[in-house]
Amino acid sequence: MGNSTYALDQNRAPIHEALEQFRRIRVVPFDVPGHKRGRGNPELTAFLGHQCVGVDVNSMKPLDNLCHPVSVIREAEQLAADAFGAAQAFLMVGGTTSAVQSMVLTACKRGDEIILPRNVHRSVINALVLCGAVPVYINPEVDTRLGISLGMKREQVAKAIAEHPRAVAVLVNNPTYYGICSDLREIVRMVHAAGMLCLVDEAHGTHFYFGENFPVSAMAAGADMAAVSMHKSGGSLTQSSFLLTGPNVHAGYVRQIINLAQTTSGSYLLMSSLDISRRNLALRGRKVFEQVRLLAEYARSEINLIGGYDAFGQELVDGDAIYAFDPTKLSIHTRDIGLAGIEVYDILRDDYDIQIEFGDIGNILAYLSIGDRVQEVERLVSALAEIRRRFQRDPSGMLSQEYIDPEVVATPQEAFYAEKVSLPLRETEGRICSEFVMCYPPGIPILAPGEKITREILNYIEYAKAKGCSMTGPEDPNIEQLNVLQ
């Protein structure tokens, strides 16, 4: 521990304080970055402001070092661990992607089995490409009316653990992009009873740590590691995140894993944003997230009065595959008005200047968080009412299924690095894919390396492309060719 006066006082923001002190003493910079507090790049300074570029600085003794923190960064991590109820917190400047990958790489090495739902973010499968671990997928149940994949059932997890007793870890989404949670406490109990680690992708669950009216957080449920997207609902700058660990994880080893890939030039803009945002949530998070919850409930009730839309929520909860629902998630089913979610997404942006988080083939997600106000929600509600009036059409013939069970033939690493050939999309049926295909956001692969390409999957890709989904992943930017195993 550095200066003990910082000890767990959530009013402090040690990185922010050190940067303010550094700004005051006006050190002459003969170090990087080369813009030298903005003087060397006046256009950048004009755009971002002196306040910002003046603290875009390099690691130095007074400011600590992200790779091996011993003072202000270490203190910021301890305050974050305290605020989130974790044994250890790590500041991540490579987004929640790097936090998720660090979890998987900590738990798994080449050949190890890891149990996970298939509707994971691509960062999880990317980690399997890097380390050579073997995925054991639990295919989530699907709500066929909404076309969305659900959580993991307790019996599915128990069955996977029984059938794969040598697996090293189980990974859980808490919540999914749509706000759906599995029975995390019971899953943690089963996983620990089997001697495995429980890893939690909590990219969309930062607020679970700050309020009584939310599903259980990973750390409160006793999970071993959790990746928390502070920049999503927590208010920090884009690309900043926390990796949380429980008491039975070796923090020194986790740090080594993080340092394999994370930059040695940690951004003080990102780190100070984590520090200040953690302080804000520790001091005011319960109050602000309760306001977000109430705003989302209001939005749901208003949207459901329009007719044709289904702003779904707590009524879905069944105590198993939908064990709990995140009440801040404003997910809206659009297919009953004859429009794909991505079509409503495009109309909202192009005609109404409203940018929502994403649209897929059946739903849209309006992301509500600490910066939203009731007047913006009312603008969204009135726009949706007008879209229904202007664009509603017969929904027959629309695709409904968001999630298609994959057939896994090879590990992600084997398939990604294998000899491959590029074929036109329709000629790939029956072949083994060697790359990713996904709509982004949410970044959940339709196809991942090592999976068999079926006609159903090809139909889905072509339908999503035609409706205007932003498709990413393949080498071919137009997604007319796919790489398959030779």
Side-chain angles (χ1 to χ4, degrees):
M1 180 83 188
N3 186 339
S4 62
T5 59
Y6 287 107
L8 306 188
D9 177 0
Q10 290 294 342
N11 291 286
R12 305 301 297 260
I15 299 172
H16 170 229
E17 291 160 18
L19 285 168
E20 289 289 16
Q21 170 72 12
F22 174 80
R23 195 202 296 276
R24 283 193 293 272
I25 58 178
R26 300 181 65 175
V27 170
V28 178
F30 285 110
D31 62 350
V32 297
H35 61 66
K36 306 290 175 157
R37 316 289 186 266
R39 288 195 305 271
N41 195 340
E43 291 97 336
L44 182 68
T45 305
F47 178 55
L48 295 179
H50 283 284
Q51 185 83 3
C52 184
V53 294
V55 291
D56 179 37
V57 292
N58 192 33
S59 293
M60 60 189 75
K61 278 191 177 177
L63 296 180
D64 210 356
N65 187 304
L66 183 60
C67 296
H68 187 83
V70 294
S71 60
V72 292
I73 295 175
R74 177 90 185 103
E75 288 149 8
E77 288 182 340
Q78 288 173 326
L79 285 165
D82 179 58
F84 284 83
Q88 173 76 40
F90 299 86
L91 275 62
M92 306 297 293
V93 295
T96 309
T97 288
S98 63
V100 166
Q101 292 182 344
S102 297
M103 287 198 305
V104 175
L105 296 175
T106 297
C108 302
K109 57 185 186 300
R110 185 175 173 81
D112 284 344
E113 288 185 327
I114 176 171
I115 296 166
L116 61 160
R118 175 54 180 73
N119 60 325
V120 290
H121 189 263
R122 74 166 291 176
S123 57
V124 178
I125 303 174
N126 283 351
L128 305 184
V129 169
L130 291 172
C131 73
V134 180
V136 174
Y137 289 126
I138 292 175
N139 286 318
E141 300 221 336
V142 171
D143 182 309
T144 49
R145 185 181 66 82
L146 299 175
I148 63 171
S149 49
L150 308 177
M152 294 193 290
K153 285 189 162 184
R154 291 180 292 270
E155 66 187 60
Q156 290 177 308
V157 177
K159 182 170 182 281
I161 289 172
E163 290 174 358
H164 298 270
R166 295 172 64 107
V168 295
V170 175
L171 187 138
V172 187
N173 293 321
N174 192 52
T176 69
Y177 225 130
Y178 298 102
I180 289 162
C181 298
S182 305
D183 185 354
L184 190 55
R185 276 198 174 94
E186 181 57 21
I187 290 171
V188 167
R189 191 197 63 73
M190 289 190 282
V191 169
H192 286 168
M196 302 174 188
L197 292 175
C198 186
L199 316 178
V200 183
D201 181 347
E202 242 169 0
H204 299 279
T206 305
H207 46 291
F208 288 5
Y209 290 87
F210 304 96
E212 275 74 54
N213 294 304
F214 298 123
V216 68
S217 68
M219 290 296 111
D224 297 290
M225 303 180 80
V228 176
S229 261
M230 271 297 272
H231 71 95
K232 290 193 172 77
S233 61
S236 65
L237 290 178
T238 295
Q239 204 178 306
S240 59
S241 186
F242 283 128
L243 175 59
L244 308 176
T245 60
N248 299 318
V249 175
H250 190 304
Y253 182 63
V254 176
R255 180 91 64 196
Q256 286 188 316
I257 293 290
I258 290 170
N259 287 341
L260 287 176
Q262 181 157 267
T263 178
T264 54
S265 306
S267 164
Y268 280 87
L269 299 176
L270 297 181
M271 287 190 279
S272 60
S273 86
L274 282 170
D275 200 22
I276 293 165
S277 303
R278 179 272 314 151
R279 178 174 65 184
N280 181 45
L281 296 189
L283 299 179
R284 293 176 282 276
R286 288 175 183 275
K287 183 181 176 189
V288 295
F289 284 128
E290 180 60 13
Q291 291 169 339
V292 174
R293 185 187 71 81
L294 294 172
L295 187 60
E297 296 291 5
Y298 168 71
R300 262 191 287 279
S301 63
E302 291 294 298
I303 290 165
N304 286 332
L305 287 173
I306 296 169
Y309 296 107
D310 180 7
F312 52 89
Q314 217 63 43
E315 73 283 352
L316 295 182
V317 170
D318 64 7
D320 200 0
I322 312 172
Y323 183 77
F325 184 82
D326 173 6
T328 72
K329 291 287 181 291
L330 185 55
S331 304
I332 305 155
H333 187 59
T334 64
R335 210 166 51 90
D336 294 340
I337 63 164
L339 294 174
I342 188 64
E343 292 174 305
V344 176
Y345 169 101
D346 285 338
I347 296 166
L348 281 168
R349 186 192 58 247
D350 296 344
D351 291 15
Y352 297 92
D353 296 326
I354 294 173
Q355 179 62 55
I356 56 168
E357 175 68 8
F358 81 88
D360 53 36
I361 65 169
N363 305 277
I364 58 173
L365 175 68
Y367 209 98
L368 297 187
S369 194
I370 59 178
D372 285 296
R373 300 174 302 174
V374 71
Q375 51 263 53
E376 282 94 7
V377 167
E378 286 172 347
R379 191 169 151 195
L380 173 65
V381 172
S382 61
L384 289 172
E386 208 169 287
I387 288 169
R388 183 193 177 212
R389 199 180 71 243
R390 289 174 62 198
F391 298 102
Q392 183 169 14
R393 55 178 184 249
D394 181 359
S396 60
M398 296 183 72
L399 265 191
S400 63
Q401 195 84 331
E402 274 303 317
Y403 174 79
I404 301 165
D405 285 355
E407 185 184 336
V408 181
V409 181
T411 71
Q413 188 182 67
E414 288 165 351
F416 187 83
Y417 290 113
E419 292 297 316
K420 60 196 75 148
V421 60
S422 177
L423 293 177
L425 206 55
R426 276 292 165 190
E427 290 176 29
T428 62
E429 186 179 337
R431 303 292 288 264
I432 310 306
C433 194
S434 74
E435 56 186 354
F436 292 91
V437 185
M438 71 207 88
C439 297
Y440 190 86
I444 296 163
I446 301 161
L447 273 172
E451 294 175 0
K452 190 172 185 178
I453 301 167
T454 64
R455 181 169 302 177
E456 190 184 15
I457 288 168
L458 293 174
N459 289 344
Y460 181 96
I461 291 170
E462 290 190 339
Y463 182 86
K465 275 175 65 180
K467 289 293 185 185
C469 284
S470 176
M471 307 289 281
T472 66
E475 243 176 61
D476 173 17
N478 299 318
I479 326 224
E480 286 161 2
Q481 304 267 130
L482 272 185
N483 286 342
V484 297
L485 270 59
Q486 273 189 351

